Structure formats: C-alpha cells, structure tokens
Amino acid sequence: MFINSMAEQIAIIGLGYVGLPLAVAFSRKHKVTGFDIKSDRVAELRKGYDRTLEVEEEILQSVLSDAPSEEGLFITSSLADIAEARVYIVTVPTPVDKYNRPDLTPLYKASETVGKVLKPGDKVIYESTVYPGVTEDECVPVLEKASGLVFNKDFTAGYSPERINPGDKEHTVSRILKVTSGSTPEAAKQINELYASVIEAGTYMASSIRVAEAAKVIENSQRDINIAFVNELSKIFNLIGIDTREVLEAAGTKWNFLRFSPGLVGGHCIGVDPYYLTQKAQEVGYHPEIILAGRRLNDGMGAYVAEQVVKQMVRSNIPVNGSRVLILGFTFKENCPDVRNTRVIDIYRELESYHVQVTLLDPRASFEDVEHEYGIRMSEALPDSIAENARFDAIILAVAHQEFLKVDIRKWGREGVVIFDVKSVLPKDWGALRL
Ligand SMILES: NC(=O)c1ccc[n+]([C@@H]2O[C@H](COP(=O)([O-])OP(=O)(O)OC[C@H]3O[C@@H](n4cnc5c(N)ncnc54)[C@H](O)[C@@H]3O)[C@@H](O)[C@H]2O)c1
C-alpha cells in the first residue's frame, strides 16, 4: 500500500511560514526531514524555536528527531540528509522583482538541489504559489537536468497549493482542505493519498497540475480584487461623507453580498500572487485589466491614508511641516511578526514627504528586520504618560495588534490629536478617521 511505502521518508525544502507547519503535520505519520539553506533558521528550529510563531515551541520540541531515518522531524541544511527521501515537497518563496515580475530563482535553486539527490521512483511536489505551467515547464526541466532522469518515466511531479493564513491559529494546515494534483493519473492518486493521510479537512484532487496551480493563484487574486473594490468604495464614500463600514454592514445583510473590508494589502501572498497571473496572461497575449487595476488601487492605499491624515491636520490648524506623527503597527497584518511587503511603509514614506517626523512602534516586529529591510529605527515601547510637549499631533493605528487594543492610545496624543483607525477597531465615539 502506497501510504506505508511513503511512510519511509519525506523531505520538505524550505522551512518558512509554509514549510515548517507542513513538515510538523507530516511528521505525525511519516519520517520527515526539513531542509533549509538558512543556517540560523536551521539552528533555531533544531532548538525548538520558530521565529515565525506558526509552530509553538512545545509542539516543535515534541516532534524533533535526531536522524532522517527516525520517526518525527529532522531539521538540516545538509544535502546528504535528504538523499534517502522518496517524496520531496518544495515550499520556497516565490517573490516578485522590483518591476513586479515573478522571480523564480528560489524555485530553480530548490529544484536543482532536489535534482542532485533525485532517484528513480521519487516524487517532487511543489507548494509554492506560481502561475499555471511553472511546475512542468520551469521546474521539471531543472530536475531532469540535475538528475539525468526522465520526467514521468523515472520520476513524477505534483502540485499542492498551500492555503494557510499566517497568525491564524484556527485554520492551520491540517484543518484546511488541500488541493492536490500529479503529473500522471497514478502519481496524482498517490500524492492525494499522501496528503489525505495528514490533512484532517480532506483533499480535492484537481484534474491536472496546471489546474491546481491556477486555482491557487486565482484564490488570492480574487481576494485582492474584492478588497480593491471596497477600497474604492471607501474613497467614494469618504467624499460623499458617509461611513463605509456602515454601508458594508447594511449591504452585508443581503444573502449574496460578499463581505470584505477596506485596508492595506501587504504581505507576500495577496499583494504579490496576482502579478504571477498577470505575467502569464501577458506572455500568452492577454493584457489583464481588472487584476492590475485592483493591484494599483490597493498599492495606493498607504499614501491615501497619509493624505487623509495630513488633510485633517490642516483642517485642525496643526502645522504639518515638522509635526510629529505616531504610527502604531508595521507588520503586514495583526498579531504576526512578518514585515515583508508591509504596506504601512507607504504611509510612513508619504508622511515623510510632507516633512513630518514619524515615530514607528510595533511590539511584534523585530527591530533588526525593520532596520535591515527598511532602514527605519523603530521606537522603544512608549511610557504610559509622556510630557505634554512630546505628545503626537496625529496617531495612525495601522495594524490592530492585541497590544494596541488593550490601551487608550489617545494618551500619547496632544489635545485635538488626529487619529486614523485603518482597521476600524477603535470605539466610534473617539471620532477617528477610518477607511
Ligand atoms: N506565508 C503564507 O501565508 C503563504 C500561504 C500560502 C502560500 N504561500 C506560498 O508558499 C511559498 C513559501 O512561502 P513562505 O511564506 O513559507 O516563505 P518563507 O520565506 O517564510 O520561507 C521560505 C523558506 O525557504 C527557504 N529557502 C529559500 N530558498 C531555498 C532553497 N533553495 N533551498 C532550501 N530552502 C530555501 C528560506 O530560507 C525560507 O526559510 C511561497 O510561494 C508563498 O507564496 C505562502
């Protein structure tokens, strides 16, 4: 039976937000080796510490093993440790470059790594978000070249997109239905069985790898477009002078009205994945309209927030040049430490362009990451009471971390402080501006 033979060994390539929880889930039924090129990440994980906070220390400790051949999860950065695996699952990043073009370098490199240890009968499954065709047209040739093996004769491939949501402790990997696919009917069936062995929510076998790839990229594109729509509504209703949230709440009483909230669209999924789809569309001669319009709209929301704050300061007779503005939260979403592709940076930069002195506070983000990636030194925790002349002219609650919801942030503002509540979480009678 396939599951028993597959219980031999699985190697997961890339132990980030996606790879680590997946490795832990598989390790409950299979012998898993987690492989990553980042030595500091490997060292931390071996001690049981996951800086992404997706896997709790106690859980990680409980599955760690001492060798690839043992039950549980063995963590390594050595190629020799994944040489005996029969299934390779690739979960490396799929970023865009500065022109928003897909950058497949990590996928090529990971495929090369796998190709070096690929053996007849092995399977290589990709989980990274890509456009349709990447697995078979881009990755498989690298596997063939590095291994000298022939695709669908000596080895097979699969694609199973990941749907986790960082920071979400309810929808964890095994509790989300998983789409699977394979390069031959038999491989598809076996890959589906493999996932079904650990995914409690069940699996859905797509008809081909390309269908599974396309399904993932449209899930995130659909979300991006829907958020862009409500962001546009927010701009319109702001001009009309009505509260967008109240309108959405009223409209949401209809059975088929889709509930989305306006906001910044950051992170490395929703704000990035649509570019994978648009790139492929352009390659085949179609110029996407709605998808790119959604991207433009969402990318402009940070500057829009800053602009609204500045306008309100002007209306309140607060001189903008040299004013002091506090931004609360920098990560791309609440209660999560990830600052990659955060759009709060757009609020920050736009305010700076008005010669505003911006103070940034985020108890969840790492000081080093923010300084390293954005060149910004965050503020230390603010005291409960600050001197009258040191209080802020405006406060922007950009990310609704739990820490910020427990305090009355108005204490850091001067009298008549302008408050912008990006996530609409503050009491309405505070009179904060919101999207
Ligand atoms: N984070 C999410 O919420 C999420 C959700 C669904 C899908 N995805 C997709 O999953 C993929 C991975 O995302 P992530 O958030 O886990 O990324 P991540 O940056 O958190 O982790 C990727 C890991 O891969 C490692 N890596 C990079 N190149 C490697 C190589 N050649 N060999 C071995 N390891 C390598 C990195 O060191 C890193 O630890 C992306 O395609 C992403 O779009 C992410």
Side-chain angles (χ1 to χ4, degrees), residues 13-18 35-38 91-94 106 109-110 128-129 162 164 166 216 268-269 340:
I13 317 299
L15 299 174
Y17 281 84
V18 166
F35 173 91
D36 202 293
I37 46 170
K38 249 193 235 157
T91 52
V92 297
T94 41
K109 291 209 165 135
S128 304
T129 306
E162 187 48 71
I164 57 149
K216 169 66 191 180
H268 39 121
C269 289
R340 289 175 299 171

PDB file of all heavy atoms in Angstrom, residues 13-18 35-38 91-94 106 109-110 128-129 162 164 166 216 268-269 340, ligand 1:
ATOM      1  N   ILE A  13      11.519  21.074   1.437  1.00  0.00           N
ATOM      2  CA  ILE A  13      12.582  22.010   1.057  1.00  0.00           C
ATOM      3  C   ILE A  13      12.094  23.442   1.275  1.00  0.00           C
ATOM      4  O   ILE A  13      11.248  23.933   0.536  1.00  0.00           O
ATOM      5  CB  ILE A  13      12.975  21.828  -0.433  1.00  0.00           C
ATOM      6  CG1 ILE A  13      13.076  20.345  -0.809  1.00  0.00           C
ATOM      7  CG2 ILE A  13      14.242  22.606  -0.775  1.00  0.00           C
ATOM      8  CD1 ILE A  13      14.111  19.551  -0.046  1.00  0.00           C
ATOM      9  N   GLY A  14      12.638  24.118   2.302  1.00  0.00           N
ATOM     10  CA  GLY A  14      12.219  25.483   2.638  1.00  0.00           C
ATOM     11  C   GLY A  14      11.328  25.439   3.868  1.00  0.00           C
ATOM     12  O   GLY A  14      10.189  25.003   3.799  1.00  0.00           O
ATOM     13  N   LEU A  15      11.885  25.895   5.010  1.00  0.00           N
ATOM     14  CA  LEU A  15      11.141  25.768   6.274  1.00  0.00           C
ATOM     15  C   LEU A  15      10.664  27.123   6.778  1.00  0.00           C
ATOM     16  O   LEU A  15      11.048  27.582   7.849  1.00  0.00           O
ATOM     17  CB  LEU A  15      12.035  25.098   7.325  1.00  0.00           C
ATOM     18  CG  LEU A  15      12.496  23.680   6.966  1.00  0.00           C
ATOM     19  CD1 LEU A  15      13.491  23.163   7.989  1.00  0.00           C
ATOM     20  CD2 LEU A  15      11.304  22.737   6.845  1.00  0.00           C
ATOM     21  N   GLY A  16       9.842  27.780   5.979  1.00  0.00           N
ATOM     22  CA  GLY A  16       9.318  29.083   6.389  1.00  0.00           C
ATOM     23  C   GLY A  16       7.903  28.951   6.916  1.00  0.00           C
ATOM     24  O   GLY A  16       7.535  27.955   7.532  1.00  0.00           O
ATOM     25  N   TYR A  17       7.098  29.981   6.665  1.00  0.00           N
ATOM     26  CA  TYR A  17       5.718  30.007   7.140  1.00  0.00           C
ATOM     27  C   TYR A  17       4.937  28.789   6.647  1.00  0.00           C
ATOM     28  O   TYR A  17       4.079  28.278   7.346  1.00  0.00           O
ATOM     29  CB  TYR A  17       5.013  31.283   6.657  1.00  0.00           C
ATOM     30  CG  TYR A  17       5.365  32.485   7.479  1.00  0.00           C
ATOM     31  CD1 TYR A  17       6.516  33.219   7.214  1.00  0.00           C
ATOM     32  CD2 TYR A  17       4.566  32.881   8.540  1.00  0.00           C
ATOM     33  CE1 TYR A  17       6.854  34.327   7.985  1.00  0.00           C
ATOM     34  CE2 TYR A  17       4.889  33.982   9.318  1.00  0.00           C
ATOM     35  CZ  TYR A  17       6.030  34.699   9.032  1.00  0.00           C
ATOM     36  OH  TYR A  17       6.360  35.788   9.798  1.00  0.00           O
ATOM     37  N   VAL A  18       5.231  28.348   5.421  1.00  0.00           N
ATOM     38  CA  VAL A  18       4.501  27.224   4.843  1.00  0.00           C
ATOM     39  C   VAL A  18       5.182  25.892   5.174  1.00  0.00           C
ATOM     40  O   VAL A  18       4.543  24.946   5.631  1.00  0.00           O
ATOM     41  CB  VAL A  18       4.388  27.406   3.304  1.00  0.00           C
ATOM     42  CG1 VAL A  18       3.943  26.118   2.631  1.00  0.00           C
ATOM     43  CG2 VAL A  18       3.407  28.524   2.991  1.00  0.00           C
ATOM     44  N   PHE A  35      14.524  20.694   5.233  1.00  0.00           N
ATOM     45  CA  PHE A  35      15.803  21.210   4.718  1.00  0.00           C
ATOM     46  C   PHE A  35      15.657  22.706   4.433  1.00  0.00           C
ATOM     47  O   PHE A  35      14.696  23.129   3.797  1.00  0.00           O
ATOM     48  CB  PHE A  35      16.141  20.446   3.436  1.00  0.00           C
ATOM     49  CG  PHE A  35      17.345  20.963   2.690  1.00  0.00           C
ATOM     50  CD1 PHE A  35      18.609  20.460   2.956  1.00  0.00           C
ATOM     51  CD2 PHE A  35      17.209  21.960   1.718  1.00  0.00           C
ATOM     52  CE1 PHE A  35      19.727  20.922   2.262  1.00  0.00           C
ATOM     53  CE2 PHE A  35      18.321  22.426   1.022  1.00  0.00           C
ATOM     54  CZ  PHE A  35      19.582  21.902   1.297  1.00  0.00           C
ATOM     55  N   ASP A  36      16.626  23.493   4.901  1.00  0.00           N
ATOM     56  CA  ASP A  36      16.604  24.928   4.598  1.00  0.00           C
ATOM     57  C   ASP A  36      18.037  25.404   4.408  1.00  0.00           C
ATOM     58  O   ASP A  36      18.956  24.879   5.034  1.00  0.00           O
ATOM     59  CB  ASP A  36      15.939  25.720   5.730  1.00  0.00           C
ATOM     60  CG  ASP A  36      15.412  27.065   5.265  1.00  0.00           C
ATOM     61  OD1 ASP A  36      16.231  27.940   4.899  1.00  0.00           O
ATOM     62  OD2 ASP A  36      14.175  27.251   5.242  1.00  0.00           O
ATOM     63  N   ILE A  37      18.210  26.408   3.531  1.00  0.00           N
ATOM     64  CA  ILE A  37      19.569  26.899   3.284  1.00  0.00           C
ATOM     65  C   ILE A  37      20.014  27.922   4.325  1.00  0.00           C
ATOM     66  O   ILE A  37      21.184  28.229   4.430  1.00  0.00           O
ATOM     67  CB  ILE A  37      19.699  27.539   1.876  1.00  0.00           C
ATOM     68  CG1 ILE A  37      18.514  28.471   1.610  1.00  0.00           C
ATOM     69  CG2 ILE A  37      19.833  26.481   0.801  1.00  0.00           C
ATOM     70  CD1 ILE A  37      18.675  29.327   0.364  1.00  0.00           C
ATOM     71  N   LYS A  38      19.061  28.459   5.083  1.00  0.00           N
ATOM     72  CA  LYS A  38      19.411  29.487   6.073  1.00  0.00           C
ATOM     73  C   LYS A  38      19.896  28.806   7.344  1.00  0.00           C
ATOM     74  O   LYS A  38      19.104  28.205   8.084  1.00  0.00           O
ATOM     75  CB  LYS A  38      18.168  30.319   6.401  1.00  0.00           C
ATOM     76  CG  LYS A  38      18.254  31.746   5.883  1.00  0.00           C
ATOM     77  CD  LYS A  38      17.167  32.563   6.521  1.00  0.00           C
ATOM     78  CE  LYS A  38      16.308  33.226   5.467  1.00  0.00           C
ATOM     79  NZ  LYS A  38      14.987  33.569   5.952  1.00  0.00           N
ATOM     80  N   THR A  91       8.754  24.153  -0.747  1.00  0.00           N
ATOM     81  CA  THR A  91       7.966  25.265  -0.183  1.00  0.00           C
ATOM     82  C   THR A  91       8.851  26.509  -0.044  1.00  0.00           C
ATOM     83  O   THR A  91       8.965  27.087   1.026  1.00  0.00           O
ATOM     84  CB  THR A  91       7.399  24.874   1.202  1.00  0.00           C
ATOM     85  OG1 THR A  91       8.493  24.388   1.999  1.00  0.00           O
ATOM     86  CG2 THR A  91       6.339  23.805   1.110  1.00  0.00           C
ATOM     87  N   VAL A  92       9.510  26.880  -1.124  1.00  0.00           N
ATOM     88  CA  VAL A  92      10.403  28.044  -1.089  1.00  0.00           C
ATOM     89  C   VAL A  92       9.638  29.292  -1.555  1.00  0.00           C
ATOM     90  O   VAL A  92       8.562  29.178  -2.138  1.00  0.00           O
ATOM     91  CB  VAL A  92      11.665  27.810  -1.958  1.00  0.00           C
ATOM     92  CG1 VAL A  92      12.483  26.652  -1.415  1.00  0.00           C
ATOM     93  CG2 VAL A  92      11.299  27.587  -3.423  1.00  0.00           C
ATOM     94  N   PRO A  93      10.176  30.479  -1.311  1.00  0.00           N
ATOM     95  CA  PRO A  93       9.438  31.707  -1.667  1.00  0.00           C
ATOM     96  C   PRO A  93       9.301  31.888  -3.180  1.00  0.00           C
ATOM     97  O   PRO A  93      10.137  31.414  -3.954  1.00  0.00           O
ATOM     98  CB  PRO A  93      10.312  32.835  -1.102  1.00  0.00           C
ATOM     99  CG  PRO A  93      11.321  32.189  -0.228  1.00  0.00           C
ATOM    100  CD  PRO A  93      11.451  30.774  -0.656  1.00  0.00           C
ATOM    101  N   THR A  94       8.238  32.595  -3.568  1.00  0.00           N
ATOM    102  CA  THR A  94       8.049  32.980  -4.972  1.00  0.00           C
ATOM    103  C   THR A  94       7.775  34.487  -4.990  1.00  0.00           C
ATOM    104  O   THR A  94       6.621  34.909  -5.106  1.00  0.00           O
ATOM    105  CB  THR A  94       6.889  32.194  -5.617  1.00  0.00           C
ATOM    106  OG1 THR A  94       5.809  32.099  -4.691  1.00  0.00           O
ATOM    107  CG2 THR A  94       7.310  30.805  -6.018  1.00  0.00           C
ATOM    108  N   PRO A 106      14.391  31.203  -6.434  1.00  0.00           N
ATOM    109  CA  PRO A 106      14.381  30.201  -5.355  1.00  0.00           C
ATOM    110  C   PRO A 106      13.837  28.846  -5.819  1.00  0.00           C
ATOM    111  O   PRO A 106      14.335  27.799  -5.390  1.00  0.00           O
ATOM    112  CB  PRO A 106      13.464  30.820  -4.289  1.00  0.00           C
ATOM    113  CG  PRO A 106      13.452  32.282  -4.581  1.00  0.00           C
ATOM    114  CD  PRO A 106      13.608  32.406  -6.076  1.00  0.00           C
ATOM    115  N   LYS A 109      16.574  27.115  -7.830  1.00  0.00           N
ATOM    116  CA  LYS A 109      17.657  26.631  -6.959  1.00  0.00           C
ATOM    117  C   LYS A 109      17.207  25.403  -6.168  1.00  0.00           C
ATOM    118  O   LYS A 109      17.955  24.434  -6.022  1.00  0.00           O
ATOM    119  CB  LYS A 109      18.093  27.742  -6.003  1.00  0.00           C
ATOM    120  CG  LYS A 109      18.806  28.855  -6.743  1.00  0.00           C
ATOM    121  CD  LYS A 109      19.792  29.538  -5.849  1.00  0.00           C
ATOM    122  CE  LYS A 109      20.743  30.384  -6.681  1.00  0.00           C
ATOM    123  NZ  LYS A 109      20.957  31.709  -6.119  1.00  0.00           N
ATOM    124  N   ALA A 110      15.978  25.458  -5.653  1.00  0.00           N
ATOM    125  CA  ALA A 110      15.481  24.314  -4.875  1.00  0.00           C
ATOM    126  C   ALA A 110      15.341  23.088  -5.778  1.00  0.00           C
ATOM    127  O   ALA A 110      15.625  21.958  -5.360  1.00  0.00           O
ATOM    128  CB  ALA A 110      14.137  24.664  -4.233  1.00  0.00           C
ATOM    129  N   SER A 128       4.778  26.035  -3.537  1.00  0.00           N
ATOM    130  CA  SER A 128       4.923  27.483  -3.685  1.00  0.00           C
ATOM    131  C   SER A 128       3.862  28.006  -4.659  1.00  0.00           C
ATOM    132  O   SER A 128       3.498  27.320  -5.613  1.00  0.00           O
ATOM    133  CB  SER A 128       6.310  27.816  -4.238  1.00  0.00           C
ATOM    134  OG  SER A 128       7.303  27.270  -3.414  1.00  0.00           O
ATOM    135  N   THR A 129       3.404  29.229  -4.433  1.00  0.00           N
ATOM    136  CA  THR A 129       2.389  29.814  -5.304  1.00  0.00           C
ATOM    137  C   THR A 129       3.036  30.242  -6.622  1.00  0.00           C
ATOM    138  O   THR A 129       4.021  30.978  -6.616  1.00  0.00           O
ATOM    139  CB  THR A 129       1.750  31.038  -4.619  1.00  0.00           C
ATOM    140  OG1 THR A 129       1.289  30.630  -3.345  1.00  0.00           O
ATOM    141  CG2 THR A 129       0.606  31.596  -5.443  1.00  0.00           C
ATOM    142  N   GLU A 162      -0.591  25.705  -1.006  1.00  0.00           N
ATOM    143  CA  GLU A 162      -0.800  25.922   0.426  1.00  0.00           C
ATOM    144  C   GLU A 162      -1.805  27.047   0.614  1.00  0.00           C
ATOM    145  O   GLU A 162      -1.797  28.028  -0.114  1.00  0.00           O
ATOM    146  CB  GLU A 162       0.558  26.282   1.073  1.00  0.00           C
ATOM    147  CG  GLU A 162       0.510  26.358   2.558  1.00  0.00           C
ATOM    148  CD  GLU A 162      -0.177  25.146   3.162  1.00  0.00           C
ATOM    149  OE1 GLU A 162       0.397  24.049   3.145  1.00  0.00           O
ATOM    150  OE2 GLU A 162      -1.311  25.301   3.648  1.00  0.00           O
ATOM    151  N   ILE A 164      -2.569  28.267   3.958  1.00  0.00           N
ATOM    152  CA  ILE A 164      -2.555  28.784   5.330  1.00  0.00           C
ATOM    153  C   ILE A 164      -2.544  30.305   5.338  1.00  0.00           C
ATOM    154  O   ILE A 164      -2.209  30.956   4.354  1.00  0.00           O
ATOM    155  CB  ILE A 164      -1.362  28.276   6.164  1.00  0.00           C
ATOM    156  CG1 ILE A 164      -0.048  28.647   5.457  1.00  0.00           C
ATOM    157  CG2 ILE A 164      -1.456  26.794   6.459  1.00  0.00           C
ATOM    158  CD1 ILE A 164       1.076  28.883   6.414  1.00  0.00           C
ATOM    159  N   PRO A 166      -0.969  33.184   7.798  1.00  0.00           N
ATOM    160  CA  PRO A 166      -0.090  33.357   8.958  1.00  0.00           C
ATOM    161  C   PRO A 166      -0.793  34.010  10.150  1.00  0.00           C
ATOM    162  O   PRO A 166      -1.586  34.927   9.973  1.00  0.00           O
ATOM    163  CB  PRO A 166       1.010  34.280   8.433  1.00  0.00           C
ATOM    164  CG  PRO A 166       0.988  34.121   6.972  1.00  0.00           C
ATOM    165  CD  PRO A 166      -0.424  33.797   6.594  1.00  0.00           C
ATOM    166  N   LYS A 216      -4.875  28.125  -7.142  1.00  0.00           N
ATOM    167  CA  LYS A 216      -4.273  28.871  -6.033  1.00  0.00           C
ATOM    168  C   LYS A 216      -4.109  30.352  -6.378  1.00  0.00           C
ATOM    169  O   LYS A 216      -4.465  31.238  -5.608  1.00  0.00           O
ATOM    170  CB  LYS A 216      -2.908  28.269  -5.676  1.00  0.00           C
ATOM    171  CG  LYS A 216      -2.078  29.110  -4.735  1.00  0.00           C
ATOM    172  CD  LYS A 216      -2.691  29.224  -3.357  1.00  0.00           C
ATOM    173  CE  LYS A 216      -1.994  30.275  -2.518  1.00  0.00           C
ATOM    174  NZ  LYS A 216      -2.574  30.411  -1.185  1.00  0.00           N
ATOM    175  N   HIS A 268       3.231  38.676   1.538  1.00  0.00           N
ATOM    176  CA  HIS A 268       3.844  38.117   0.344  1.00  0.00           C
ATOM    177  C   HIS A 268       2.913  37.190  -0.394  1.00  0.00           C
ATOM    178  O   HIS A 268       3.341  36.327  -1.132  1.00  0.00           O
ATOM    179  CB  HIS A 268       5.185  37.444   0.674  1.00  0.00           C
ATOM    180  CG  HIS A 268       5.155  36.706   1.970  1.00  0.00           C
ATOM    181  ND1 HIS A 268       5.404  35.384   2.071  1.00  0.00           N
ATOM    182  CD2 HIS A 268       4.872  37.137   3.210  1.00  0.00           C
ATOM    183  CE1 HIS A 268       5.271  35.026   3.340  1.00  0.00           C
ATOM    184  NE2 HIS A 268       4.948  36.067   4.037  1.00  0.00           N
ATOM    185  N   CYS A 269       1.610  37.317  -0.163  1.00  0.00           N
ATOM    186  CA  CYS A 269       0.672  36.474  -0.917  1.00  0.00           C
ATOM    187  C   CYS A 269      -0.274  37.334  -1.747  1.00  0.00           C
ATOM    188  O   CYS A 269      -0.086  37.466  -2.952  1.00  0.00           O
ATOM    189  CB  CYS A 269      -0.112  35.587   0.037  1.00  0.00           C
ATOM    190  SG  CYS A 269       0.903  34.289   0.757  1.00  0.00           S
ATOM    191  N   ARG A 340       7.532  41.587   5.831  1.00  0.00           N
ATOM    192  CA  ARG A 340       7.816  41.572   4.398  1.00  0.00           C
ATOM    193  C   ARG A 340       6.638  42.129   3.609  1.00  0.00           C
ATOM    194  O   ARG A 340       5.493  41.768   3.852  1.00  0.00           O
ATOM    195  CB  ARG A 340       8.133  40.138   3.947  1.00  0.00           C
ATOM    196  CG  ARG A 340       9.480  39.664   4.463  1.00  0.00           C
ATOM    197  CD  ARG A 340       9.711  38.230   4.125  1.00  0.00           C
ATOM    198  NE  ARG A 340       8.707  37.372   4.723  1.00  0.00           N
ATOM    199  CZ  ARG A 340       8.586  36.078   4.446  1.00  0.00           C
ATOM    200  NH1 ARG A 340       9.396  35.527   3.577  1.00  0.00           N
ATOM    201  NH2 ARG A 340       7.675  35.355   5.030  1.00  0.00           N
TER     202      ARG A 340
HETATM  203  N1  LIG B   1       3.114  32.610   4.063  1.00  0.00           N
HETATM  204  C1  LIG B   1       1.905  32.309   3.647  1.00  0.00           C
HETATM  205  O1  LIG B   1       0.935  32.637   4.264  1.00  0.00           O
HETATM  206  C2  LIG B   1       1.666  31.508   2.414  1.00  0.00           C
HETATM  207  C3  LIG B   1       0.414  30.939   2.228  1.00  0.00           C
HETATM  208  C4  LIG B   1       0.188  30.180   1.099  1.00  0.00           C
HETATM  209  C5  LIG B   1       1.207  30.031   0.166  1.00  0.00           C
HETATM  210  N2  LIG B   1       2.415  30.627   0.363  1.00  0.00           N
HETATM  211  C6  LIG B   1       3.448  30.413  -0.653  1.00  0.00           C
HETATM  212  O2  LIG B   1       4.342  29.435  -0.146  1.00  0.00           O
HETATM  213  C7  LIG B   1       5.679  29.710  -0.580  1.00  0.00           C
HETATM  214  C8  LIG B   1       6.590  29.838   0.633  1.00  0.00           C
HETATM  215  O3  LIG B   1       6.171  30.945   1.390  1.00  0.00           O
HETATM  216  P1  LIG B   1       6.655  31.187   2.889  1.00  0.00           P
HETATM  217  O4  LIG B   1       5.817  32.286   3.430  1.00  0.00           O
HETATM  218  O5  LIG B   1       6.724  29.910   3.623  1.00  0.00           O
HETATM  219  O6  LIG B   1       8.138  31.715   2.629  1.00  0.00           O
HETATM  220  P2  LIG B   1       9.266  31.947   3.738  1.00  0.00           P
HETATM  221  O7  LIG B   1      10.146  32.996   3.199  1.00  0.00           O
HETATM  222  O8  LIG B   1       8.641  32.108   5.090  1.00  0.00           O
HETATM  223  O9  LIG B   1      10.047  30.558   3.776  1.00  0.00           O
HETATM  224  C9  LIG B   1      10.766  30.054   2.731  1.00  0.00           C
HETATM  225  C10 LIG B   1      11.953  29.300   3.287  1.00  0.00           C
HETATM  226  O10 LIG B   1      12.605  28.712   2.183  1.00  0.00           O
HETATM  227  C11 LIG B   1      13.999  28.801   2.388  1.00  0.00           C
HETATM  228  N3  LIG B   1      14.654  28.670   1.102  1.00  0.00           N
HETATM  229  C12 LIG B   1      14.778  29.583   0.109  1.00  0.00           C
HETATM  230  N4  LIG B   1      15.427  29.053  -0.937  1.00  0.00           N
HETATM  231  C13 LIG B   1      15.725  27.778  -0.609  1.00  0.00           C
HETATM  232  C14 LIG B   1      16.386  26.721  -1.271  1.00  0.00           C
HETATM  233  N5  LIG B   1      16.877  26.880  -2.497  1.00  0.00           N
HETATM  234  N6  LIG B   1      16.528  25.549  -0.632  1.00  0.00           N
HETATM  235  C15 LIG B   1      16.046  25.382   0.635  1.00  0.00           C
HETATM  236  N7  LIG B   1      15.401  26.351   1.296  1.00  0.00           N
HETATM  237  C16 LIG B   1      15.242  27.530   0.698  1.00  0.00           C
HETATM  238  C17 LIG B   1      14.195  30.130   3.058  1.00  0.00           C
HETATM  239  O11 LIG B   1      15.433  30.173   3.760  1.00  0.00           O
HETATM  240  C18 LIG B   1      12.975  30.193   3.971  1.00  0.00           C
HETATM  241  O12 LIG B   1      13.259  29.690   5.271  1.00  0.00           O
HETATM  242  C19 LIG B   1       5.576  30.953  -1.443  1.00  0.00           C
HETATM  243  O13 LIG B   1       5.397  30.580  -2.758  1.00  0.00           O
HETATM  244  C20 LIG B   1       4.307  31.617  -0.946  1.00  0.00           C
HETATM  245  O14 LIG B   1       3.707  32.429  -1.912  1.00  0.00           O
HETATM  246  C21 LIG B   1       2.670  31.341   1.470  1.00  0.00           C
END
